[in-house]
């Protein structure tokens, strides 16, 4: 059966660890596998890191830059080189590709989110393999994905993918870093992300990359919430993709959630960047969690941050634990005046009739 597959390959798999030069044999092997998947009728999207790493190698730099302007300039150098290599190798397999560069802003604004979805669908219907990366040359810090693990999970949710493969420099997830701890236990299957609370996720990636195991677990949460089965496996062995799809137990597989949230809820939960926090009393927390109710002003104890109406906010209990996210119907200044007050008092306090709810249940997504 034809499926939609999102494959993310990290810088640690694309480049040689000592020099940052491209690992051409790995890239060629990956492309051969992706073309095989296409010939089997699957729809394939590749999320590729490596632009900054390739740019560094091209310019003779010995370490990844930290200044965002320099990093963006180097990404511009590396992205063209990276796409040239992909195009040459895919062309040899007679497989058309397309470059898709995204920023978080493309998923924050609803109309751009829908447009991105339609573009991906058109490319996949044409039999094209989209190659996705963050648009490092224009992304500003507050609208960056931060890592391509998160980007790949959001893309997988956006296109309603069946599988997300996170190709990395270890063969699977372990209870600790197996390179440093010989007693690390392999983790084969994860039913719920909460099972990993005791896992030591280690540091945040290699010298040439930005991701680490913690970002992959976070990406798995985003993807599985959207109903996407997620796998962490060895990037140097792309043939594993074919074996996993054939049913072999390779890598770490994260089970998709049985009742995945819909596209609009995914956009609220993961596409938007919250600009504020609402601290709720126990009654409001129970009404939202257990009864599926909207949030009313009476249930708000405290408001944090500055935000406008229709911005995304976090909804937290008294301890500060986030229970949900949603689109707010009032500005932060308005909420500071009406928090803790009954809905019928709001017109007298504000001088005009506002919305009955602070966050309507249709614009609210519970944390999994």
């Amino acid at each position: 059966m034809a499926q939609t597959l999102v494959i993310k390959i990290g810088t640690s798999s694309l480049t040689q660890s000592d020099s940052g030069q491209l690992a051409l044999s790995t890239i060629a092997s990956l492309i051969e596998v992706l073309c095989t998947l296409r010939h089997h009728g699957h729809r394939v999207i590749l999320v590729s890191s490596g632009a900054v790493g390739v740019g560094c190698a091209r310019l003779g730099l010995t370490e990844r830059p930290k200044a965002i302007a320099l990093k963006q300039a180097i990404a511009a150098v590396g992205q063209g080189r990276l796409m040239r290599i992909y195009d040459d190798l895919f062309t040899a397999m007679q497989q058309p590709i397309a470059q898709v560069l995204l920023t978080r802003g493309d998923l924050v604004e609803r109309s751009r989110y829908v447009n991105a979805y339609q573009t991906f669908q058109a490319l996949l219907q044409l039999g094209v393999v989209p190659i996705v990366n963050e648009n490092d040359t224009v992304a500003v810090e507050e609208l960056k994905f931060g890592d391509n693990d998160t980007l790949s999970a959001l893309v997988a949710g956006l296109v309603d993918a069946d599988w997300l493969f996170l190709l990395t420099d270890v063969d699977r997830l372990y209870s600790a870093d197996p390179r440093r701890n010989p007693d690390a236990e392999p983790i084969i299957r994860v039913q719920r992300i909460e099972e990993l609370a005791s896992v030591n996720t280690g540091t945040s990636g290699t010298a040439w990359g930005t991701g680490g195991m913690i970002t992959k677990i976070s990406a798995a949460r985003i993807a599985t919430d959207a109903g996407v089965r997620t796998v962490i496996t060895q990037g140097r062995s792309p043939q594993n993709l074919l074996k996993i799809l054939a049913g072999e137990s390779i890598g770490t597989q994260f089970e998709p959630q049985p009742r995945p949230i819909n596209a609009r809820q995914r956009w609220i939960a993961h596409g938007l960047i919250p600009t504020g926090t609402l601290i709720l009393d126990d009654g409001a927390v129970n009404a939202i969690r257990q009864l599926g109710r909207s949030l009313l002003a009476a249930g708000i104890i405290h408001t944090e941050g500055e935000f406008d109406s229709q911005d995304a906010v976090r909804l937290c209990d008294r301890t500060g634990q986030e229970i949900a996210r949603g689109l707010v119907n009032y500005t932060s200044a308005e909420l500071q005046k009406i928090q803790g007050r009954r809905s019928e008092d709001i017109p007298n306090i504000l001088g005009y009739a506002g919305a009955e709810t602070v966050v309507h249940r249709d614009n609210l997504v519970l944390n999994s």
Side-chain angles (χ1 to χ4, degrees), residues 177-234:
D177 189 339
R179 295 166 295 192
R180 297 182 174 87
N181 186 345
D183 297 324
E185 294 288 332
I187 298 172
I188 308 301
R189 193 170 298 272
V190 178
Q191 296 283 349
R192 294 187 63 81
I193 302 293
E194 289 71 22
E195 298 171 13
L196 302 177
S198 62
V199 172
N200 180 1
T201 52
T203 57
S204 58
T206 66
W208 296 103
T210 58
M213 203 52 68
I214 193 168
T215 70
K216 289 168 181 58
I217 293 172
S218 176
R221 181 188 295 276
I222 294 171
T224 54
D225 277 352
V228 182
R229 183 177 297 275
T230 303
V231 183
I232 295 174
T233 189
Q234 175 64 256

Side-chain angles (χ1 to χ4, degrees), residues 339-359:
Q339 64 187 30
R341 306 296 290 270
R342 296 180 303 173
S343 298
E344 54 264 35
D345 295 334
I346 291 176
N348 290 332
I349 296 169
L350 297 180
Y352 49 86
E356 285 188 27
T357 61
V358 172
V359 179

Side-chain angles (χ1 to χ4, degrees), residues 284 286-295 359-361 364:
N286 183 67
I288 290 169
R289 268 185 171 162
Q290 306 301 329
L291 305 176
R293 300 272 177 82
S294 301
L295 173 63
V359 179
H360 192 275
R361 63 187 179 187
L364 187 152

Side-chain angles (χ1 to χ4, degrees), residues 104 108 142-143 266-278 304-308 310-316 322 324-328 365 367:
R104 193 66 181 256
V108 167
E142 60 269 24
L143 285 178
R266 290 199 298 273
W267 171 66
I268 293 171
H270 304 301
L272 298 178
I273 302 172
T275 55
T277 299
L278 307 183
E304 298 176 359
E306 294 185 8
F307 47 85
D308 292 322
Q310 298 307 305
D311 279 353
V313 294
R314 299 181 183 87
L315 307 183
C316 300
E322 183 176 330
R325 292 189 181 185
L327 301 181
V328 67
V365 183
N367 279 12

